[in-house]
């Protein structure tokens, strides 16, 4: 029964959330998305509104200022926000990724300092795992953390492609306390951003998601008290992998939202545009594309909701979250590609958002684990299940 129950109708809470998020995205996200994208403007007002709607901390318990809903709710919210503006949804996604790790592994004091302030949208967080020399191979991180005589860790190195980091007030940094221990040396450190030794080194110029920031962090004898180690020294890799399992539900939902937006635009255009004496939607070549798009959007949503349902019911999700993320991100790039194809010249210009969907979709196959990494994760799980 792994995931079958998620096929039942959405609960009333989920239906209300879906409608609220859809109305919000139509009214307050989609109308500004292309301007923010073109001008590379951080959507501060939209993030503030996400906070008011409880979308910046969907699964965080209410006692810590969160919304106290489940991962199904998170997936629904992410999809709707991404359908309106994918760049806004990545601000939301990375914040929720961070909060998930702190809620799961933080001490009470850490939750007060590093969870509560990040739940309402006033402060956002980053999640610094990747490095210039280690993206997919996360356990090869070479940023070091050395314990000094005063009982503090000194962090040195460079973290790369860190979403949210320009506007963030704090986040998690993964560093190794002993590189010879490989993944067992990786340790997670909580930190505020405005601390000596931590600087934004480079703000990346990107193909898509241009309204959200992606920067390099430079760590130069950055001092972190031992009390800010999340979990225990050496447990950081497991924390990263577990939180990424949940994060991948978010990216799958985001991808589904982009795919849905591209599908809706293509459908609308195909119904209105006339060619060869009839509407485009009457041409079988176009119908085939629309059918393939609809299939991918719906299977992406089902796989995403299944992974969320498994998480909400306390089951392992490593394989299912990877499947959802892999399929949904490929669905997003497929649908954005076909949307441009159906729109033709209009799809290639910036008069319509098709080209933005295409650029935004592309990174969903890269961050929080590339499509190749998802296939490795799935294959490992499948092979493990037959050897047990
Ligand atoms: N949950 C819990 N533990 C896990 C796990 C999981 N999903 N996956 C692995 N582990 C554990 C293993 O059980 C093993 O534990 P033991 O030492 O106790 O045996 C340990 O971790 C090492 O496992 P592997 O040997 O499988 O590790 P690996 O080095 O071969 O790497 C990998 C596995 C799947 C390739 C991993 O490195 C990976 O996921 N890479 C992709 C990294 C990634 O997604 N980066 C995204 C950056 S964050 C981001 O993008 C956010 C943003 O800004 C948008």
């Amino acid at each position: 029964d792994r995931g079958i129950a998620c096929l039942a109708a959405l609960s009333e809470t989920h239906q209300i959330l879906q409608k609220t998020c859809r109305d919000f995205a139509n009214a307050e996200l989609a109308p500004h998305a292309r301007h923010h994208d073109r001008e590379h403007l951080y959507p501060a007002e939209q993030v503030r509104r996400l906070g008011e709607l409880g979308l910046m901390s969907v699964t965080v318990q209410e006692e810590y200022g969160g919304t106290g809903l489940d991962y199904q709710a998170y997936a629904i919210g992410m999809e709707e926000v991404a359908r309106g503006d994918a760049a806004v949804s990545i601000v939301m996604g990375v914040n929720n990724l961070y909060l998930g790790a702190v809620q799961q592994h933080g001490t009470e004091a850490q939750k007060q300092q590093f969870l509560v302030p990040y739940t309402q949208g006033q402060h956002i967080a980053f999640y610094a795992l990747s490095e210039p020399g280690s993206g997919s191979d996360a356990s090869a991180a070479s940023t070091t953390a050395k314990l000094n005589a005063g009982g503090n860790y000194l962090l040195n190195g460079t973290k790369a492609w860190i979403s949210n980091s320009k506007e963030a007030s704090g986040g998690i940094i993964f560093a190794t306390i002993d590189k010879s221990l490989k993944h067992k040396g990786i340790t997670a450190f909580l930190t505020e951003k405005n601390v000596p030794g931590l600087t934004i080194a480079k703000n990346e110029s990107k193909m898509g998601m241009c309204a959200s920031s992606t920067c390099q962090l430079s760590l130069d004898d950055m001092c972190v008290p031992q009390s800010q180690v999340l979990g225990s020294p050496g447990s950081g890799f497991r924390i990263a992998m577990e939180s990424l399992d949940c994060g991948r539900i978010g990216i799958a939902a985001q991808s589904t939202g982009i795919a849905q937006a591209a599908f809706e635009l293509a459908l609308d255009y195909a119904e209105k545009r006339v060619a060869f004496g009839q509407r485009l939607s009457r041409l079988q070549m176009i119908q085939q594309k629309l059918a393939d798009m609809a299939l991918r959007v719906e299977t992406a949503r089902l796989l995403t909701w299944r992974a969320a349902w498994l998480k909400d019911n306390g089951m392992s999700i490593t394989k299912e979250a990877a499947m959802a993320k892999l399929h949904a991100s490929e669905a997003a790039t497929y649908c954005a590609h076909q949307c441009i194809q159906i729109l033709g010249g209009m799809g290639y210009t910036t008069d319509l958002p098709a080209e933005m969907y295409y650029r935004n979709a592309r990174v969903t196959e890269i961050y929080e684990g590339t499509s190749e990494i998802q296939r490795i994760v799935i294959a490992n799980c499948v092979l493990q299940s037959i050897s047990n």
Side-chain angles (χ1 to χ4, degrees):
D1 184 33
R2 286 178 65 80
I4 301 304
C6 78
L7 302 181
L10 291 179
S11 72
E12 200 186 340
T13 306
H14 291 141
Q15 285 181 41
I16 293 169
L17 178 81
Q18 189 178 49
K19 178 161 178 5
T20 305
C21 293
R22 190 167 294 170
D23 291 347
F24 164 69
N26 285 341
E28 298 182 46
L29 297 181
H32 306 286
R34 281 192 289 153
H35 173 66
H36 286 151
D37 171 73
R38 214 166 21 244
E39 303 298 328
H40 295 206
L41 286 177
Y42 176 70
E45 174 57 19
Q46 283 70 17
V47 172
R48 191 188 66 73
R49 290 282 293 126
L50 287 184
E52 282 180 359
L53 291 167
L55 292 169
M56 292 303 280
S57 54
V58 178
T59 61
V60 173
Q61 292 157 342
E62 287 173 281
E63 62 183 291
Y64 294 109
T67 310
L69 292 175
D70 54 13
Y71 272 87
Q72 173 102 49
Y74 178 51
I76 289 168
M78 266 296 261
E79 179 186 334
E80 296 304 330
V81 170
R83 178 178 156 274
D85 187 344
V88 173
S89 77
I90 193 56
V91 180
M92 169 180 160
V94 171
N95 202 62
N96 278 280
L97 173 68
Y98 162 84
L99 292 178
V102 183
Q103 173 160 260
Q104 179 73 25
H105 300 280
T107 62
E108 188 54 34
Q110 288 174 340
K111 287 181 188 172
Q112 293 304 328
Q113 189 178 356
F114 293 104
L115 185 67
V116 174
Y118 295 88
T119 52
Q120 308 281 318
Q122 292 103 330
H123 298 284
I124 63 162
F126 61 77
Y127 183 93
L129 177 63
S130 303
E131 299 186 1
S134 60
S136 291
D137 188 4
S139 68
S142 62
T143 291
T144 55
K146 292 270 174 264
L147 195 56
N148 70 10
N152 295 317
Y153 282 96
L154 291 182
L155 271 57
N156 283 285
T158 304
K159 306 305 282 187
W161 310 293
I162 309 306
S163 307
N164 285 359
S165 53
K166 182 156 172 264
E167 300 80 15
S169 304
I172 298 184
I173 297 177
F174 294 89
T176 178
I177 51 170
D178 182 348
K179 198 145 169 48
S180 70
L181 294 176
K182 303 203 163 110
H183 70 273
K184 290 188 190 319
I186 306 276
T187 303
F189 296 90
L190 295 170
T191 183
E192 270 132 17
K193 195 180 78 181
N194 191 14
V195 293
L198 171 56
T199 47
I200 300 287
K202 181 185 174 209
N203 190 1
E204 304 289 353
S205 170
K206 297 177 295 184
M207 171 184 181
M209 300 290 193
C210 297
S212 93
S213 66
T214 305
C215 304
Q216 265 190 12
L217 300 183
S218 179
L219 316 178
D220 184 10
D221 276 345
M222 177 195 167
C223 183
V224 185
Q226 268 177 293
S227 61
Q228 288 174 212
V229 169
L230 183 65
S232 53
S235 70
F237 192 71
R238 182 166 288 273
I239 291 174
M241 291 299 110
E242 284 174 4
S243 48
L244 279 169
D245 280 348
C246 301
R248 287 168 187 164
I249 296 175
I251 302 303
Q254 173 187 68
S255 307
T256 307
I258 299 171
Q260 175 73 35
F263 175 58
E264 284 175 27
L265 178 59
L267 199 58
D268 182 63
Y269 192 83
E271 278 286 84
K272 290 177 180 151
R273 170 84 171 179
V274 172
F276 304 105
Q278 55 192 329
R279 282 178 287 154
L280 279 191
S281 60
R282 298 298 113 204
L283 301 173
Q284 285 193 350
M285 200 77 87
I286 300 297
Q287 288 180 351
Q288 185 193 1
K289 291 185 192 302
L290 293 173
D292 286 346
M293 290 165 88
L295 175 67
R296 282 166 168 83
V297 170
E298 291 185 28
T299 47
R301 185 174 297 119
L302 284 174
L303 284 174
T304 305
W305 286 5
R306 177 179 71 153
W309 184 89
L310 290 169
K311 175 71 188 163
D312 293 333
N313 285 277
M315 288 181 241
S316 66
I317 57 160
T318 301
K319 182 185 77 177
E320 289 80 2
M323 283 181 163
K325 200 267 187 188
L326 170 63
H327 182 70
S329 59
E330 292 189 350
T333 49
Y334 177 86
C335 288
H337 177 98
Q338 294 302 346
C339 176
I340 293 181
Q341 208 60 26
I342 291 172
L343 270 61
M346 282 305 293
Y348 196 67
T349 70
T350 56
D351 289 350
L352 289 174
E355 57 83 33
M356 180 182 72
Y357 298 152
Y358 187 73
R359 290 183 289 103
N360 287 344
R362 194 61 188 82
V363 75
T364 64
E365 286 195 53
I366 295 170
Y367 57 29
E368 299 203 18
T370 61
S371 290
E372 291 73 15
I373 290 295
Q374 307 311 325
R375 288 186 165 87
I376 289 172
V377 171
I378 295 164
N380 284 344
C381 291
V382 169
L383 292 168
Q384 215 167 31
S385 72
I386 54 165
S387 70
N388 285 341

